[in-house]
Amino acid sequence: MTTANPIRRPLIAGNWKMNLDLKASVELVRALTLAVPRGFQGEVMVAPPFTALTVVGEALRDSPIRLGAQDLFWEEKGAFTGEISASQLKDAGCWSVLIGHSERRRIFADTDAWVRRKLEAALKAGLIPVVCVGETLEERESQRTWRVLETQLKGGLEGFAPSALAPLVVAYEPVWAIGTGKTATPAQAQEAHLFIRKQAAALYGPAFASGLRILYGGSVTPENIDSLMAEPDIDGALVGGASLKADSFSRIVGFRSPAAR
Ligand code: PEP
């Protein structure tokens, strides 16, 4: 389980959060389309704010870069002011959706039960779900990292048919590393990714676990991406701040892969 699995195509995803107006969004993806290295064997995605999905999707029309959303609501339609459904995201051209980002959990009180419902809705609509998990600094310092990850994974992922869950991507994002400039060391990230893979094996079996893509997120930069991607259980990155500039994000996409990958 510690050898990089060729089935796991690297995925580099940019989470723009609540940044960029429409003009800047289109300029960024146009620049990215030109800058993303030719021959990249993996997948690249950007997740703009909801208001920019259609213009960014339009600008990406002939580009290999995929469109993602930052969140969704599990109901199909109805009186849910301010929310957006999986089918609306599909209709807007989305390929993927982030679920349970730590900012959603911390600021908007998303729970593991909500993550599970959102995951179910995303899968039903044919979106690639990227479920985010990760511990706070306090949890790490009090040796609760593994318990927290186990709770989040079980609470969010339990009870699906393994075949239905096949498109799942998990992002390990230690909260203390998000937007802080403080990255987990490659060894810390690898240890957590291996733990997540073992939890996935316990839930859904070794074949499912060895095919599961696990991204690292938390202050990923052009300077640290190569050493992170050299770890056998790191299959890509979820990038916040550094995804807002074409030069830094394209350098991350063009990470120097170890020969084995
Ligand atoms: C994120 O938003 O998921 C993230 C990892 O942000 P940053 O890269 O800025 O730490």
Side-chain angles (χ1 to χ4, degrees), residues 15 17 101 103 173 177-180 217-220 238-242:
N15 173 15
K17 311 193 186 192
H101 189 280
E103 286 149 19
E173 297 211 300
I178 298 179
T180 58
S219 298
V220 171
L238 179 53
V239 186

Side-chain angles (χ1 to χ4, degrees), residues 24-41:
S25 299
V26 170
E27 281 170 6
L28 176 55
V29 284
R30 288 210 174 118
L32 272 179
T33 299
L34 296 174
V36 162
R38 274 170 207 282
F40 178 63
Q41 293 301 305

